[in-house]
Amino acid sequence: MATEAHSEGGLAFHPLDQFKIHPLFGEGPIQWYTPTNVTLWMALAVICIIALFVIGTRGRAVIPTRVQSVAELAYGFIYRMVEDVTGHDGVKYFPYIFTVFLFILFSNFLGLIPGSFTPTSHIAVTAILGFGVFIAVTVLGFVLNGAHFLGLFWMKDAPLVLRPIIAVIELISYFVRPVSHSIRLAGNIMAGHAVMKVFAAFAPMILISTIGVVVTPVSVLAITAIYGLEVLVAFIQAYVFTILTCVYLKDALHPGH
Amino acid sequence: MATETVAAEAAGAAHEAGSAGMPQLDFSTFPNQIFWLVVTLVVIYLILSRISLPRIGAVLAERKGAITNDLAAAEELKQKAVAAEQAYNDALARARVEAAKIVAEARAEIQKDLDAEMAKADAAIAAKAAESEGRIAEIRAGAMEAVTSVAMDTARELVAALGGTADAAGVNAAVSARLKG
């Protein structure tokens, strides 16, 4: 153990360095307007979205090209999700939901490029998304339904004695929503990337110690497996965030369960 | 495992000294991230709502319209085909009825002609038969007469040959009586 500990001193464990935010140009304090790696990778996400949804669809072909059919597929996927979950009157919020979905999806996938930065791994970003949805849905609920929106917390089909208790539970779960909504996304992405980085740190073991004959192949295999999982997670988390947004929106549009 | 955690902790500690633990919890970067996030979301929203979504929506609607039109056209053509088949079958049935009628008419006409010819032939045959019967009767009468006279002659001759005197009138009467009997 002692020798191992000594040899591992040569390995570099910095699983969280990938989440560091630094200015793109020069050094110095990060002001709110400073172009940082956050700016860079968000801009790349925007460029990918432009490539897919503006350049890819510029033919407006009735028989689509491959890129256009991918764009149409994404459009149809989210459009149907919004329509299925929120009903027909939720369709007018589709552009907002699609914006959020595409941002998360492209941030997640661009983050899988080795050496990249993932904006959605930061709680600051996902909290703004989560609380943005929460505030928008709550305001919308009161604007559309007035006081009836509070019916969301008052179960009419529960026994009268239980109703206040259920109301309290519902109220707490309602305010926990944005927290779980945002931490779920940031946590998943961050954990996955950190785990990959930890395994990556073990990969050069073979250069340091003979035990590396075992450790290096295992860690390379593990990186591969986790990477595959992360590809899945990148899509699933974008999907989950979007469908939960739709579910919350449905509560605002039709609070009467 | 223990060494791993030790190493990780060491790394974490080194980190903490540098930039206060997880970069996610470094609040000094929050305004920056939030600002750029809002900029990004607004840009994506504008691109989508101004350019992409109307465009894709229009393409999808157009495609749906084209498909609907094509389906309607196909349905129409199918109807036409069915109508044409119906018309063909009708025409066929009508032609069959017509043919049957013509056959029946022809048969009736032939039957009529046949009946007329048959009647004519029957009449001719009847006339011929009547005529022949007349002639046969005539011949029979002639034959009977000849038989009578031959019998009378023979009887007279027989009487004479037997040495009697033939009373011609008596012999004749006897022969006639005998012939009637």
Side-chain angles (χ1 to χ4, degrees):
Chain A
M1 284 301 268
T3 50
E4 261 181 58
H6 180 71
S7 63
E8 273 175 26
L11 298 176
F13 280 97
H14 301 296
L16 298 178
D17 275 8
Q18 57 181 323
F19 305 120
K20 266 190 188 159
I21 293 167
H22 52 79
L24 277 184
F25 312 107
E27 294 290 319
I30 295 166
Q31 300 296 326
W32 59 268
Y33 52 83
T34 314
T36 56
N37 48 350
V38 179
T39 320
L40 172 67
W41 289 95
M42 285 186 181
L44 287 174
V46 171
I47 288 170
C48 288
I49 290 169
I50 290 175
L52 180 56
F53 286 89
V54 178
I55 300 170
T57 61
R58 73 188 184 288
R60 296 161 198 262
V62 171
I63 298 162
T65 58
R66 278 176 217 175
V67 181
Q68 191 187 325
S69 69
V70 170
E72 285 172 7
L73 215 64
Y75 178 101
F77 178 62
I78 301 300
Y79 191 91
R80 227 170 302 124
M81 185 199 290
V82 173
E83 202 174 28
D84 286 352
V85 176
T86 66
H88 199 68
D89 43 352
V91 164
K92 59 174 170 291
Y93 307 105
F94 163 66
Y96 304 101
I97 293 171
F98 200 41
T99 301
V100 170
F101 172 75
L102 287 181
F103 172 72
I104 297 172
L105 188 76
F106 278 98
S107 294
N108 288 354
F109 276 126
L110 287 172
L112 286 174
I113 298 170
S116 70
F117 172 83
T118 320
T120 42
S121 68
H122 273 263
I123 193 70
V125 169
T126 59
I128 292 299
L129 290 171
F131 278 92
V133 169
F134 175 75
I135 292 166
V137 162
T138 308
V139 169
L140 200 64
F142 278 112
V143 167
L144 291 180
N145 306 292
H148 284 296
F149 184 58
L150 293 173
L152 194 62
F153 309 111
W154 196 251
M155 296 278 182
K156 290 231 168 44
D157 40 359
L160 192 61
V161 196
L162 289 179
R163 275 187 215 170
I165 303 165
I166 293 175
V168 170
I169 295 170
E170 286 281 322
L171 204 66
I172 293 170
S173 80
Y174 188 79
F175 282 99
V176 168
R177 273 178 182 184
V179 178
S180 65
H181 203 189
S182 47
I183 288 179
R184 180 183 301 113
L185 174 58
N188 269 287
I189 302 300
M190 192 199 98
H193 285 236
V195 166
M196 265 196 279
K197 208 55 183 272
V198 168
F199 279 117
F202 276 110
M205 183 74 118
I206 197 161
L207 302 175
I208 299 164
S209 150
T210 45
I211 199 158
V213 177
V214 178
V215 172
T216 299
V218 168
S219 57
V220 168
L221 273 178
I223 294 168
T224 314
I226 301 271
Y227 192 90
L229 187 69
E230 283 306 299
V231 171
L232 209 67
V233 166
F235 173 76
I236 287 174
Q237 286 306 318
Y239 174 79
V240 165
F241 194 97
T242 315
I243 201 156
L244 282 175
T245 304
C246 291
V247 169
Y248 299 161
L249 181 62
K250 188 206 78 180
D251 282 346
L253 296 176
H254 317 285
H257 282 275
Chain B
M1 279 311 285
T3 51
E4 279 172 44
T5 37
V6 166
E9 268 168 21
H15 221 269
E16 243 159 44
S19 62
M22 281 170 67
Q24 275 86 347
L25 299 178
D26 180 1
F27 294 101
S28 69
T29 62
F30 276 28
N32 182 270
Q33 293 190 60
I34 292 167
F35 169 69
W36 289 113
L37 172 68
V38 170
V39 169
T40 306
L41 288 179
V42 168
V43 169
I44 295 174
Y45 174 73
L46 289 178
I47 291 167
L48 289 179
S49 64
R50 291 291 144 84
I51 306 171
S52 296
L53 299 186
R55 190 185 282 175
I56 294 173
V59 169
L60 291 181
E62 196 183 329
R63 183 173 312 144
K64 202 174 169 192
I67 289 170
T68 312
N69 281 346
D70 286 0
L71 282 180
E75 187 61 29
E76 200 176 308
L77 288 177
K78 196 178 156 199
Q79 293 294 341
K80 270 187 188 162
V82 168
E85 200 191 342
Q86 187 67 36
Y88 166 76
N89 282 339
D90 281 358
L92 200 66
R94 237 181 295 123
R96 208 168 271 153
V97 168
E98 192 83 0
K101 211 169 78 188
I102 289 169
V103 166
E105 260 171 27
R107 192 173 284 152
E109 206 159 301
I110 288 167
Q111 193 65 44
K112 211 169 70 191
D113 286 358
L114 195 67
D115 284 353
E117 288 299 314
M118 206 82 118
K120 217 191 277 173
D122 278 354
I125 288 165
K128 271 261 168 64
E131 194 184 319
S132 305
E133 231 156 73
R135 284 211 11 230
I136 288 167
E138 221 167 82
I139 291 166
R140 190 176 283 157
M144 200 51 117
E145 226 164 85
V147 166
T148 309
S149 69
V150 167
M152 282 173 186
D153 287 350
T154 311
R156 242 184 352 259
E157 288 304 317
L158 277 174
V159 169
L162 288 173
T165 342
D167 174 8
V171 170
N172 283 356
V175 167
S176 297
R178 196 69 189 199
L179 276 172
K180 268 180 196 132

